[in-house]
Amino acid sequence: MKKTIIINCMKNILILLFTVFMILCSAVVAEEVEPIHIDVRGYNGINLPEGTFIGVESAQEISTQYCQNGYKARFISTNDFYIDDINIIPVNTAFIGYVEDVHDPVVGTNSSFKVKITKMILPDDYEMPMEGYIYSSNGNMIGGEMTAPAVWRKMPHYQRNIGMNTTLQVRPGRERRMGEHALILSGEDRIIVLTKPLEITHTITP
């Protein structure tokens, strides 16, 4: 009986010692192992406001002589575009769009068209939607100018203050020449104007 009591006491002591040992080991491991922190740079994007200008050049010739509504157009940025030391639009970024609002040439007016830009492709092939036009002071319309007069008429001009002399002046007639086709040459420098804010959510780090 006495031996059984001694054995049970020994077992309880061993269990208690083992429990204390495990608790101490856990505390040591917790102190030695520090939590892992991943340094992730937060990036909320950069917003380019409506009306921003972006310098580009045409990657192809676009003419109303053979381009109709929907004709695909491509332009390439000619410079790096920086904001706060971040290159948000690197050189050689592609801008994709299409021709719209095409008007054929008529007597008195050259042909005209617009180029709408709908997508930007960075050099690493990352694509971002956008809305803009190839800029023109004429409401972003390329062409549409009035043509030169078809004829010039000689009109007498009386100069009363110098002896009633009569001179002839050449003045344009009412008739106008036939309009010409509007075009953008390949490699021609142009400007894209944003018609809606553009949020840049991706940049290329060197």
Side-chain angles (χ1 to χ4, degrees), residues 61-129:
E61 181 176 283
I62 305 171
S63 172
T64 54
Q65 187 171 4
Y66 51 81
C67 298
Q68 298 301 318
N69 290 322
Y71 183 86
K72 187 175 181 179
R74 182 184 180 93
F75 295 82
I76 305 296
S77 62
T78 53
N79 295 289
D80 293 321
F81 194 112
Y82 281 88
I83 289 184
D84 297 333
D85 296 328
I86 300 176
N87 187 5
I88 61 173
I89 303 179
V91 64
N92 294 325
T93 295
F95 295 87
I96 309 299
Y98 60 88
V99 174
E100 68 173 23
D101 203 11
V102 175
H103 297 275
D104 292 326
V106 295
V107 174
T109 307
N110 291 329
S111 65
S112 60
F113 64 96
K114 292 183 177 181
V115 180
K116 185 172 185 178
I117 304 300
T118 59
K119 182 169 59 175
M120 178 174 70
I121 305 176
L122 298 177
D124 64 353
D125 295 329
Y126 187 88
E127 299 184 8
M128 279 182 275

Side-chain angles (χ1 to χ4, degrees), residues 22 30 32 40 52 68 71 74 83 94 108 112 116 120 123 142 144 155 162 189 205:
M22 292 301 296
E32 291 180 353
V40 179
T52 299
Q68 298 301 318
Y71 183 86
R74 182 184 180 93
I83 289 184
S112 60
K116 185 172 185 178
M120 178 174 70
I142 311 298
M155 304 291 291
I162 52 175
D189 289 332
T205 56

Side-chain angles (χ1 to χ4, degrees), residues 17-200:
L17 290 175
F18 181 76
T19 303
V20 172
F21 176 77
M22 292 301 296
I23 292 173
L24 291 175
C25 288
S26 299
V28 171
V29 171
E31 289 180 0
E32 291 180 353
V33 179
E34 296 181 356
I36 299 174
H37 298 284
I38 301 175
D39 186 15
V40 179
R41 191 187 101 173
Y43 183 67
N44 297 323
I46 297 175
N47 191 275
L48 292 183
E50 178 182 345
T52 299
F53 287 149
I54 303 171
V56 295
E57 69 175 24
S58 177
Q60 72 213 82
E61 181 176 283
I62 305 171
S63 172
T64 54
Q65 187 171 4
Y66 51 81
C67 298
Q68 298 301 318
N69 290 322
Y71 183 86
K72 187 175 181 179
R74 182 184 180 93
F75 295 82
I76 305 296
S77 62
T78 53
N79 295 289
D80 293 321
F81 194 112
Y82 281 88
I83 289 184
D84 297 333
D85 296 328
I86 300 176
N87 187 5
I88 61 173
I89 303 179
V91 64
N92 294 325
T93 295
F95 295 87
I96 309 299
Y98 60 88
V99 174
E100 68 173 23
D101 203 11
V102 175
H103 297 275
D104 292 326
V106 295
V107 174
T109 307
N110 291 329
S111 65
S112 60
F113 64 96
K114 292 183 177 181
V115 180
K116 185 172 185 178
I117 304 300
T118 59
K119 182 169 59 175
M120 178 174 70
I121 305 176
L122 298 177
D124 64 353
D125 295 329
Y126 187 88
E127 299 184 8
M128 279 182 275
M130 62 176 293
E131 288 193 30
Y133 279 92
I134 296 300
Y135 174 76
S136 165
S137 59
N138 185 26
N140 300 327
M141 184 73 74
I142 311 298
E145 306 88 354
M146 182 180 291
T147 61
V151 295
W152 294 83
R153 301 187 184 280
K154 294 180 179 180
M155 304 291 291
H157 178 67
Y158 301 99
Q159 300 175 345
R160 296 182 180 181
N161 296 331
I162 52 175
M164 295 299 291
N165 290 333
T166 302
T167 59
L168 291 177
Q169 290 185 340
V170 179
R171 296 184 178 179
R174 293 182 178 180
E175 299 84 3
R176 293 278 172 174
R177 293 182 182 178
M178 180 64 186
E180 298 178 352
H181 286 283
L183 62 86
I184 295 176
L185 296 172
S186 177
E188 182 177 340
D189 289 332
R190 286 283 175 169
I191 293 174
I192 293 175
V193 57
L194 297 182
T195 53
K196 283 190 177 181
L198 172 61
E199 185 178 3
I200 305 295

